[in-house]
Amino acid sequence: IYYNLGNAYQKIGEYAKSIECYNQTVGLNPNWFEAYLNCGNSYDQMGDFAKAIESYDTIIKINPYYAAAYINKGNILNKLNRQDEALQCYDVAQKLGVNNYESYLISAEILIKKGEYKKSIEVCNNAVRINPYDPRAYYFLGMNFFHIRDLNSSIENFKKTIDIKPDYADAYFLQGSIAMKRKEFAMIEI
């Protein structure tokens, strides 16, 4: 009953009350990892990232195969600009066979910032396999190819981005920048 009540409080934004209920739940059953997960999510919503991470770490101790704990912990670590640790969490979740699309995109973006373009391309390709209709994966692919100076592949991926989302301004801008560098203005289709 406490778990369900915690979920109800969480849905209406009463995070402190939801945390109380989830703590009651784990007091009765210390191995109820979903209660820790939701407790961590409530702490996240309240901005108490240390307690959220603590909740996710508890889950990992109880059930190291529960990928959602790694993904949520990775999201918090990413918010805290602890990208290397976030990447480790996403990597574990992905190795557990979870096809969490957002974790692939966040990993790809972090890898671009770190200058690990070839690794980011791999991650983007995994994201495309899961969801070939999201323009962000193609945009990140375009950026990666731009950085490794494969301009044809970069333009091709920016075009895919624009095909899916015609108002993706950054893709137009970068595609145009490449065309200007190559003095091939005719390559841009507007």
Side-chain angles (χ1 to χ4, degrees):
I1 189 163
Y2 290 115
Y3 179 75
N4 291 333
L5 190 56
N7 289 344
Y9 279 129
Q10 193 177 59
K11 282 183 184 175
I12 62 171
E14 295 284 341
Y15 302 114
K17 289 181 181 177
S18 73
I19 290 168
E20 288 176 31
C21 292
Y22 296 132
N23 284 333
Q24 290 286 336
T25 302
V26 298
L28 297 171
N29 181 353
N31 292 322
W32 196 331
F33 53 88
E34 291 94 344
Y36 288 107
L37 183 76
N38 289 347
C39 191
N41 295 343
S42 289
Y43 280 125
D44 177 17
Q45 291 297 317
M46 292 175 59
D48 192 341
F49 302 132
K51 292 240 185 202
I53 289 171
E54 186 180 310
S55 292
Y56 302 137
D57 283 340
T58 301
I59 299 165
I60 292 166
K61 286 177 189 161
I62 295 169
N63 183 355
Y65 302 102
Y66 193 62
Y70 294 100
I71 292 168
N72 290 9
K73 182 179 177 181
N75 291 341
I76 298 285
L77 293 167
N78 191 40
K79 285 182 193 178
L80 297 171
N81 291 318
R82 292 164 56 185
Q83 279 82 20
D84 289 335
E85 294 170 87
L87 280 172
Q88 290 173 351
C89 289
Y90 296 137
D91 188 52
V92 170
Q94 291 158 7
K95 284 179 180 168
L96 288 172
V98 173
N99 285 330
N100 182 287
Y101 183 71
E102 289 298 321
S103 76
Y104 282 103
L105 288 179
I106 295 167
S107 294
E109 188 172 22
I110 291 170
L111 290 166
I112 290 170
K113 289 177 185 173
K114 292 179 63 158
E116 297 182 32
Y117 307 118
K118 291 186 179 187
K119 206 170 180 184
S120 182
I121 289 169
E122 274 181 50
V123 172
C124 286
N125 285 330
N126 287 329
V128 167
R129 277 191 275 286
I130 297 168
N131 180 0
Y133 305 106
D134 189 319
R136 296 173 297 167
Y138 296 106
Y139 178 75
F140 291 150
L141 279 167
M143 291 199 42
N144 282 308
F145 285 119
F146 176 79
H147 286 293
I148 63 172
R149 293 182 168 66
D150 181 346
L151 300 182
N152 289 332
S153 295
S154 182
I155 288 174
E156 177 185 324
N157 281 283
F158 289 138
K159 283 182 179 181
K160 286 180 185 175
T161 304
I162 294 164
D163 286 345
I164 295 168
K165 191 172 191 283
D167 63 345
Y168 210 117
D170 288 341
Y172 279 108
F173 175 77
L174 290 172
Q175 185 182 18
S177 296
I178 293 168
M180 286 178 64
K181 280 185 178 188
R182 297 172 70 188
K183 295 185 178 20
E184 296 177 2
F185 298 104
M187 289 180 65
I188 303 174
E189 295 176 18
I190 297 179

